[in-house]
Amino acid sequence: MTITPMIGGGGYLDDWSGHVSNTYSLGIGLEFAATENVSLEAEGGFGKYHTSYLFYTPMGRRIFSHEFNRFDIGANAKIYLMRSTIQPFIGAGLMGLYYSDMDHGPYSPLHRYSDWVGAGQLLAGMNVQVAHEVAVGLRGSWLLPLFNRPGT
């Protein structure tokens, strides 16, 4: 079993890309080797996000800004393409994303909700072994909401 602490950032695509920024993300992964090149990973995380955009009221244009949290839990299968000092990998999995204190965007910025979203995740990365049983790495992932998409 491998324990992987994670720190990073994230962003949104499409309609939300210009309005949502990630303040920080923290997480932890537990990886179990199934074979020499295949592993299963359970992960959990937390992210703090910031939204801002213009919206219109009877009193004119206003800038709306607030923060929301996202809690993640999921599982991935990873395939290591090489097992040496450099260890590139690809993988896929399913995630549960809990949005806490999210808003409905510029059409209803004061209406908040908290809800679960089911997502698929594609990931790729690389670990570099720096000592026996110690590696540092970089990973990127793309989440695609599949179930209970946000009501924006």
Side-chain angles (χ1 to χ4, degrees), residues 3-78:
I3 299 172
T4 308
M6 296 182 240
I7 185 168
Y12 284 77
L13 299 174
D14 297 329
D15 295 340
W16 285 99
S17 65
H19 305 288
V20 178
S21 61
N22 179 239
T23 307
Y24 62 88
S25 294
L26 302 171
I28 192 152
L30 300 175
E31 189 171 333
F32 305 91
T35 68
E36 184 181 345
N37 292 328
V38 176
S39 67
L40 303 175
E41 177 184 66
E43 69 173 281
F46 169 79
K48 177 71 101 178
Y49 292 83
H50 181 80
T51 61
S52 63
Y53 36 74
L54 285 173
F55 73 102
Y56 298 91
T57 69
M59 297 161 58
R61 290 184 346 175
R62 295 226 191 272
I63 295 176
F64 177 77
S65 176
H66 97 282
E67 292 184 344
F68 67 92
N69 299 318
R70 192 181 84 190
F71 300 89
D72 310 338
I73 189 165
N76 305 305
K78 292 165 62 174

Side-chain angles (χ1 to χ4, degrees), residues 69-121:
N69 299 318
R70 192 181 84 190
F71 300 89
D72 310 338
I73 189 165
N76 305 305
K78 292 165 62 174
I79 298 171
Y80 284 88
L81 306 175
M82 186 168 52
R83 282 290 203 179
S84 63
T85 302
I86 297 175
Q87 304 170 0
F89 62 85
I90 57 173
L94 293 174
M95 299 288 290
L97 313 172
Y98 184 73
Y99 289 89
S100 174
D101 202 28
M102 183 65 170
D103 67 82
H104 284 281
Y107 306 107
S108 184
L110 301 177
H111 180 254
R112 306 278 173 77
Y113 69 97
S114 296
D115 209 354
W116 281 98
V117 174
Q121 175 174 237

